[in-house]
Amino acid sequence: MDRINTIGRRKTAISRIYMSAGSGAITVNGKDYKQYFPTEVLQIILNQPFATVNGVGGYDVKVNVRGGGVAGQAEATRMAIARALVELNAEFRPALKKEGFLTRDSRMVERKKYGRAKARRRFQFSKR
């Protein structure tokens, strides 16, 4: 198996991954994923596609991720890994689709409108 290149997105985060057969090393922006995503929740999010298809430790993943916050970056990377696994073996698709890892979450932050404090929050009303 040579390198598989896929992309994942979530909010404003964009994750590009290069997956190849290996020992299970996941490198994010040049750092180990446990160092880049310090909380256990984010690490679990990253490993969910592998756990779904029982492929933990079978692939080396090199990740380039930009934009957004750590949660959005972790979910964008999860989507990219799921897409790479489907590209590798089409039989993984139903299981990953059932878990929702192949669906792009299109929710974005609503823009701020003029005459408002935020997107929908109005300024405090003053009777006098």
Side-chain angles (χ1 to χ4, degrees), residues 1-12:
M1 169 187 135
D2 50 304
R3 273 187 163 170
I4 292 176
N5 169 237
T6 55
I7 192 168
R9 293 187 182 93
R10 171 74 168 98
K11 293 187 180 181
T12 57

Side-chain angles (χ1 to χ4, degrees), residues 109-120:
V109 175
E110 194 174 333
R111 82 171 198 86
K112 185 199 174 300
K113 277 78 168 191
Y114 56 85
R116 298 277 174 104
K118 291 163 70 177
R120 299 186 180 195

Side-chain angles (χ1 to χ4, degrees), residues 46-103:
L46 220 64
N47 282 310
Q48 277 177 326
F50 293 125
T52 305
V53 299
N54 300 321
V56 177
Y59 308 99
D60 284 344
V61 182
K62 184 177 177 290
V63 183
N64 291 320
V65 65
R66 335 181 84 110
V70 284
Q73 287 186 348
E75 289 180 31
T77 305
R78 176 178 71 185
M79 181 188 193
I81 290 170
R83 283 178 168 178
L85 288 168
V86 169
E87 208 172 301
L88 180 73
N89 186 348
E91 291 172 17
F92 293 155
R93 187 172 176 82
L96 292 168
K97 188 140 183 76
K98 184 174 170 277
E99 294 294 326
F101 300 151
L102 300 173
T103 307

